[in-house]
Amino acid sequence: MSSIAEATEIFRQEASELLEQLEQALLDLHRQPDNRSLVDTAFRALHTIKGSGAMFGFDAVAAFVHDFETAFDRVRRGLSPCSPALVAAALEARDHIRALIEQPQAADAAHGESLLRALRAAVEGEVAATPAATPDASPGPIHGPTPGQDWRVRFHLGAEALVNGANPLLMLDELHSLGTAQVTALVDAVPPLDEIDPESCHLGWEVLLRTESPRAAIEEVFIFVSDDARIEITPMTTAEVPAATTAEAAPIAAVPAAATPAAVAERPRAEAEIGRVGGSLRVQAERLDELMDRVGELVIAQARLSQLAVGGDTGLTTVAEEIGRLVSELRDTTMGIRMLPIGSLFGRFRRLLHDLSRELGKPVELVTSGEETELDKTMIERLADPLVHLIRNAVDHGLEMPEARRAAGKPAGGVIRLKARHAGAEVLVTVSDDGRGLDAERIRAKALEQGLIAAEARLSESEIHQLLFQPGFSTAKEISAISGRGVGMDVVKRTIEQLRGGIEIASRPGQGTDVTLRLPLTLAIIEGLLVRVGNGRYVIPLSAVEECVELPAGEAARSGGYSLLNIRDALVPFLRLREMMHCATPADPHQKVVIISAGDQRLGLVVDQILGSHQTVIKSLSRLHADVKTFSGATILGDGSVALILDVAQLLEIGQAEEEELRNRSRQAA
């Protein structure tokens, strides 16, 4: 990737973070319109996007944000309230900024103008209602009656500032936008004509500024050049303010930024490759993925070394153990780098709920908890779509209209709760609503109508709820832009299964529904229990293993069938993996049962031998094996052979089906 492309990509990443800050601030302002801190946060985000956009050659972005900022500045100065109409217009303008950054060639300029008109109308509509607050738009002399603090601002840019894309005229224009200003060029450092370097900045500027804005607002003007520039910002006393005969300050015309692709290419390499945010380093995701792959290969190599060292030289065994310890620590550190707080995902849904609330006419509040819960970055990326579908369904189908809620004794506004927490080596993410709950009879009737179940089928409430995830299933009476086509929940199930997770539903009629997603912490390396069945070796994710017991002699004597095992006065069904794997070799005399669980479901797996724990580097199965539901992947063992990873969710489903069949046979026999 060229330096220009790298610099552009860095700008897009930083702008994406700033747009996220802007969106969150606007959504908070919808609920707290008088919060000055939120207004300042939104304004700072706009200001930074404008400055960096001009620096990196995104002139359309800088121009649009400048007009956006101008309209929003009236709110910042307390001249207009932050109305719901203004927030709605600002959110749409924010979306247009993203479009200008991501697809500048496809951006609709006419749409941008209409958004700016809507912004101005939202502001001016409020101003018209309070004409006494309307300020005089024309700039006055710095010594005039305009209230505020007087400042002397002197700055000299670094010698390479112009080459790096800085535009001093834009900075002067931004200073003028803060209040009234007089600008004087400082030429004392300009060398003779024959010694001037045309690419260097020799000029300096002195600005006498009167503004109501704090010192921090002045400092923000120089945010991108402060490292190399000499900047002095000092308050002025009354005696230092120029006399009344001083000429009026004239606005400084905005000039397109001098940042050209060639100039951007010359930015310092340290800035072009990484961004520093709060003491952290921004690293490309592809590099983390590559690092994780290398660590996985190292884990496999270490397992092979440990196997070769068994029963060998003592010195080799010691080295193998030391390398094993280091590899384990490196694995944990690398996985820790990939972990992100799930709060970064939860924040995205505030905008979704804001828009759904307006579209459906249902007041909705989002309540989140457990935002600090960490999950692999890949999991977070792939979890976004399922959560969108779940939230949309909760708002559309779960929450009643305000009138119905009042009639049921509930508040008019509904509540959607997003909660995350650790449970062993899993993360549980729950989407809850306080709506009407699920109607099991209606779901069953709809499934019967669509031919998904037989009329004589006897289903538990949990099994009826799982019908919601069948392809094409929907209880909506009519198709809308929100739901009704029966594809959303099917997408949720397929995605969660691909992530080796599970879904649980709990519903309370008239009170609401909880949908819980059970997810592994990572998709790359897991701790597994290595077992042998016949001549084959298999891995069971250790997070799903409860305990291991010996198969009773009476059960071992049986050659087949489905049975129950008494584990401390609790009946646990179990499956014989030998039968599932069609093993022809004789069974071991002392077979073991591995008890696995997920949620409230438990199942025993009968194996010939338990070989021990194993650091499992997960390898995906080929497309030819996509229909094999019993396995979720494979791993390479220390001796170079392959062990298949058992899919716990699928095995539990098989066990549940076997148990239901056994119950049906028992009822028929009775």
Side-chain angles (χ1 to χ4, degrees), residues 241-265:
V241 177
T245 55
T246 306
E248 270 193 7
I252 308 297
V255 178
T260 63
V264 173

Side-chain angles (χ1 to χ4, degrees), residues 317 418 509 601 621:
T317 303
L418 276 177
Q601 290 183 299
L621 298 176

